Amino acid sequence: MILNALDEVLFWDDIDTLKSTTKQLDEKYYPHDYESFHKKYDMFFKSVIPNKAEFIRRLKHYAEAGKPIWISGRNELCDDIDTDSMIKAISVSSKIGNGEQKAGQASKYQENDPAFWNFYTQNIFHQQENRILELTVGAGGGTNAVMKEMTDRDYYMGVDIDFVCAKNADALAKYYNVNGLGVTASLWKLPFDDCMFTSVCSNQGLEECREIPTMLKEAYRVLQPGGKIVLHCGNIDKMQSYDRFDQYGFSEDEMIYWAKRIRMYSSADGVEELLNHVGFKFVKRMFDEKLGSILVYEK
Ligand SMILES: C[S@@+](CC[C@H](N)C(=O)[O-])C[C@H]1O[C@@H](n2cnc3c(N)ncnc32)[C@H](O)[C@@H]1O
């Protein structure tokens, strides 16, 4: 079961209702009947949050009461998955074949925009020996771009709150035969010493996260002085996880306003404001109409 961060925000005080409904719908429809899954999920939302006024009431409540803590299925204990399924998921997601498949898909996608991806990786690999931390491994698209460039002198750690995603990094590391490890943890509290890394990067990851200011403070802590943070930030109007704003009739400006207030992703500009606030210094950026922005800042 995977709950999206915005839904967690909306159900901040009532997460058990959201969890049990999601679990029931998962069991009944997922993944064989994706259409019914979404239809029923939207009906559930409309029954509990009937209009925009109630939606806004919930956003306001989270803005004041929300915290960088685990509250739902994507948590450290994987509390919603039984042991057999967990073992199966680990064995599938750690295998070199999984890495090969992920590498093939991502490389094909990245082939279309070599200048964009070169800008991403060249800024990450700015030392002879690079100690790289990737935030939000997810499906491993960004991991692939990084691991392709690694040599024996570099090492990589990739963090995701979802252990199957962390395992994607392991599979890609096996496939590329590099020093890489996937770590299951939350970006709100990284299990690393201060100043451990020469680069921190993320490929379209903050878009699915709550409590981004806390994550950027942690990224700053674990980065060495002079180290770089390189973030690929997508265009907010193209983001699936924010569909719910659309369904309740929010304009793009309203969506950006509220995303900022609830400390979620509000645009590349919003991330830049936060980076400055945390103490990072601007180095450069690249913008692409279709792919969004790559921000490069320094500690
Ligand atoms: C859109 S995906 C990232 C895409 C990925 N970088 C790629 O290139 O394919 C966002 C990821 O952020 C992770 N995430 C969300 N909240 C998190 C948190 N608090 N700590 C760590 N990871 C988190 C999710 O589990 C998800 O895998």
Side-chain angles (χ1 to χ4, degrees), residues 11-257:
F11 279 79
W12 186 247
D13 272 351
D14 196 11
I15 199 68
D16 288 338
T17 311
L18 180 66
K19 274 165 88 169
S20 65
T21 305
T22 310
K23 213 166 189 171
Q24 276 167 24
L25 293 177
D26 260 7
E27 276 160 15
K28 217 162 163 187
Y29 300 110
Y30 196 83
H32 58 281
D33 188 357
Y34 206 59
E35 207 176 303
S36 301
F37 176 83
H38 277 290
K39 213 166 126 199
K40 300 272 176 192
Y41 206 56
D42 289 347
M43 277 166 64
F44 160 72
F45 259 79
K46 277 283 173 194
S47 70
V48 183
I49 310 178
N51 51 42
K52 190 172 171 181
E54 173 61 10
F55 196 103
I56 290 178
R57 189 193 67 74
R58 285 169 179 251
L59 294 176
K60 267 192 191 146
H61 176 66
Y62 182 88
E64 281 150 29
K67 288 194 175 64
I69 51 168
W70 277 301
I71 54 163
S72 71
R74 253 177 177 168
N75 72 19
E76 64 189 321
L77 303 171
C78 297
D79 60 0
D80 61 324
I81 188 167
D82 63 61
T83 311
D84 286 348
S85 313
M86 183 155 31
I87 290 166
K88 192 166 160 227
I90 290 172
S91 68
V92 170
S93 322
S94 313
K95 288 216 166 85
I96 192 167
N98 188 45
E100 186 176 5
Q101 193 199 355
K102 301 241 164 245
Q105 284 162 351
S107 299
K108 206 155 168 236
Y109 168 72
Q110 285 154 4
E111 256 166 32
N112 301 329
D113 304 281
F116 191 82
W117 289 102
N118 284 341
F119 184 88
Y120 184 66
T121 51
Q122 274 166 15
N123 283 293
I124 295 169
F125 289 86
H126 61 98
Q127 302 260 335
Q128 289 283 327
E129 295 179 14
N130 299 281
R131 304 190 299 279
I132 301 166
L133 170 65
E134 185 186 25
L135 313 175
T136 66
V137 174
T143 318
N144 182 65
V146 169
M147 286 191 179
K148 263 175 139 170
E149 306 297 324
M150 284 177 66
T151 71
D152 280 353
R153 293 191 302 261
D154 307 316
Y155 74 72
Y156 162 102
M157 299 210 204
V159 171
D160 201 288
I161 201 168
D162 181 330
F163 78 97
V164 175
C165 294
K167 289 281 130 198
N168 286 337
D170 292 346
L172 280 159
K174 276 186 198 142
Y175 175 65
Y176 283 111
N177 196 20
V178 293
N179 306 315
L181 181 69
V183 179
T184 311
S186 173
L187 305 174
W188 302 316
K189 197 167 187 296
L190 291 170
F192 305 122
D193 290 346
D194 295 355
C195 308
M196 253 185 80
F197 298 96
T198 57
S199 301
V200 172
C201 62
S202 174
N203 175 52
Q204 295 199 278
L206 297 181
E207 288 89 329
E208 277 189 21
C209 297
R210 290 188 290 115
E211 301 299 339
I212 296 177
T214 304
M215 292 175 175
L216 295 181
K217 275 186 212 146
E218 274 293 86
Y220 190 86
R221 180 182 68 74
V222 300
L223 195 59
Q224 71 172 39
K228 287 192 178 141
I229 184 163
V230 184
L231 303 173
H232 174 193
C233 296
N235 297 322
I236 194 162
D237 56 327
K238 300 198 175 68
M239 281 160 38
Q240 239 183 7
S241 29
Y242 287 52
D243 277 357
R244 211 156 301 287
F245 275 116
D246 254 4
Q247 287 163 10
Y248 282 82
F250 285 73
S251 68
E252 194 177 322
D253 283 350
E254 284 177 312
M255 176 163 78
I256 288 173
Y257 168 80

Side-chain angles (χ1 to χ4, degrees), residues 268-281:
D269 288 352
V271 172
E272 290 201 74
E273 255 174 56
L274 294 172
L275 287 167
N276 281 310
H277 188 72
V278 169
F280 286 105
K281 305 265 176 308

